[in-house]
Each structure stands twice: as C-alpha cells, then as structure tokens.
Amino acid sequence: MTFLIQPLKGIFKPLNYSYQLRDAEGFKGYKRYIVVFFFLSIIVFLCGAVLGIGSSSLSKELSKVSGAEFETKKQLFLIGRILLGVTITAIVLFASSLFYWSIFDISYRKLVIIQMTIFCIYLLEKIVQIPLFVLLDIHTTSNVFSLGIIAQYLTQKEWVIHLLSQITVFQVCMIFLTYYYIAFLTDRKKIVIGISIAFLYVLYWAISGGLSLLRVSIFL
C-alpha cells in the first residue's frame, strides 16, 4: 500500500490517518513535503523578523551604535532568524524522529511523517503569533496562549518566566497528537511513551527558555 502523505489530514482525521500510516509500505510526497516545510519555516521566521518579532534586545542598542553598525546587526539578525527556521525544522522533523526511533519499534520514515503533522501545528502557532505580537506589541513571555502571563504573577525569576512561556496551547496539542500516533503504532507501555515525549518537550522548552534570555549582542 502506497501512503499519500497529507500532514493536515493527520491533524483533522488522526484515526484514519494512523490506520493508513500503520499499513503503509510505500510513501508518496515524502521528499516534497520535507522541502515544503523547510521553505515555509524560513518564510514564517523571516516574516516575523522583518516585523521585529524577537528583536527587542537589538532595538535597545539603536542609541548605542552607529547607523552602519546597527544595519549590520540587523542583517545578521535576519540571517540568524532564517538559520533558526532551518534548524528548528530539522530538529522537529529529524532529530525528534531519531529520538523516538531509538526507543520505539517504529519505522524512522513513519516517525518523520508523524512529525510533519506535528510541525504543521508548530507553524500554525508561529503564524498566529505574528499578528498577536505585532498588533499588541507584546513579548514572548506575555503570549496569551502560554503560561508566561501566569508565571509573571507567580514569580520574579526571569528564567522561570521564560521557561513557562514556552508551554503553549499549541505545544500541548503537539504532545497529545504525538502520543496518539506513537501509542497507535507501537506496543510499548503507555507510561514509557508519555515519559519519553514529556522528556523531549521539557528539554526543548528548557533550551528555548534559556536561549531567549541571551542578548543578541552576545553573538554580534
């Protein structure tokens, strides 16, 4: 059976999609979707960068450096966001799949296909954030879809706020959908599946929260 890859169908019709994926012997559209996701990720991150999302620390240096130096920093910031888009795509599609493959008896290619569906939710989150952050002029820690706002009322520790701001409604959906597909395709105990997925996401949140604390000037 040749499986037609349809990442959006994986979100809205997970039951049918999971049955078809389980019985698949061949895959149609695998390489094409990989290219498409890298392209879309670059576009989304570049649009966000052009609109100033994530450039708050760079803006603070406007009065401290010359015009030419600031333009150089701005160009490097744009390049950095493009590279970030590429890196995150590779991590979500390939590194995450490799992690799950090392634990569960599931084909690596099928795991990548699952991650394509998961990545659709991630891209949707980034797209929704663009008008939200621009129109309301808020930072990641004040994302209404995250725990960042609650964290600001509970603690003054910046690293805790940044960590909790990574936990969003979209991320929770990604976790549950990943759990659903992996639990469907493997006979491993559900507790093992849950702990493995939770570990990976907590690791990602911790790294993302830590990186968000760093100033752009450190790298420029």
Side-chain angles (χ1 to χ4, degrees):
M1 170 184 170
T2 299
F3 179 77
L4 178 61
I5 298 175
Q6 298 174 290
L8 290 178
K9 182 179 178 181
I11 298 176
F12 299 107
K13 295 183 178 180
L15 182 59
N16 293 338
Y17 202 67
S18 56
Y19 272 110
Q20 294 172 2
L21 181 60
R22 184 188 63 182
D23 299 333
E25 297 177 354
F27 306 97
K28 183 177 181 180
Y30 183 80
K31 294 181 180 179
R32 180 176 70 250
Y33 270 108
I34 289 177
V35 173
V36 167
F37 279 125
F38 272 102
F39 176 75
L40 289 177
S41 183
I42 291 174
I43 295 299
V44 170
F45 273 84
L46 186 58
C47 287
V50 170
L51 293 172
I53 297 176
S55 64
S56 56
S57 58
L58 180 63
S59 300
K60 293 177 182 178
E61 300 184 3
L62 181 60
S63 60
K64 301 178 183 179
V65 298
S66 64
E69 186 178 355
F70 182 78
E71 284 299 319
T72 300
K73 288 177 178 287
K74 189 165 65 174
Q75 294 300 319
L76 290 175
F77 172 74
L78 292 175
I79 294 173
R81 297 301 290 184
I82 292 174
L83 293 177
L84 182 60
V86 172
T87 302
I88 289 179
T89 306
I91 290 174
V92 175
L93 294 184
F94 303 122
S96 297
S97 298
L98 183 62
F99 174 79
Y100 296 136
W101 176 80
S102 68
I103 301 174
F104 307 113
D105 53 337
I106 303 174
S107 161
Y108 179 75
R109 182 163 290 194
K110 289 184 179 181
L111 287 168
V112 173
I113 292 171
I114 291 173
Q115 289 302 113
M116 288 180 184
T117 293
I118 304 304
F119 194 62
C120 283
I121 301 177
Y122 177 83
L123 284 179
L124 177 61
E125 177 180 24
K126 291 300 178 184
I127 293 171
V128 169
Q129 286 178 350
I130 291 176
L132 180 68
F133 289 177
V134 173
L135 296 178
L136 298 181
D137 192 23
I138 60 176
H139 190 264
T140 307
T141 54
S142 297
N143 183 355
V144 296
F145 295 107
S146 76
L147 296 179
I149 296 177
I150 296 176
Q152 293 177 51
Y153 286 100
L154 298 177
T155 181
Q156 297 297 319
K157 294 183 178 179
E158 194 172 358
W159 69 272
V160 175
I161 295 174
H162 280 271
L163 173 62
L164 293 180
S165 68
Q166 303 302 314
I167 307 175
T168 67
V169 173
F170 294 92
Q171 296 282 315
V172 172
C173 290
M174 291 164 64
I175 291 174
F176 276 105
L177 199 57
T178 303
Y179 177 87
Y180 174 84
Y181 278 108
I182 291 181
F184 188 91
L185 295 177
T186 184
D187 294 326
R188 296 294 296 273
K189 293 182 179 180
K190 289 181 171 53
I191 185 66
V192 175
I193 299 173
I195 291 175
S196 301
I197 296 173
F199 169 79
L200 187 61
Y201 274 85
V202 169
L203 178 63
Y204 287 160
W205 292 335
I207 294 174
S208 297
L211 290 176
S212 65
L213 289 171
L214 300 179
R215 289 170 53 85
V216 175
S217 57
I218 292 178
F219 302 100
L220 301 180

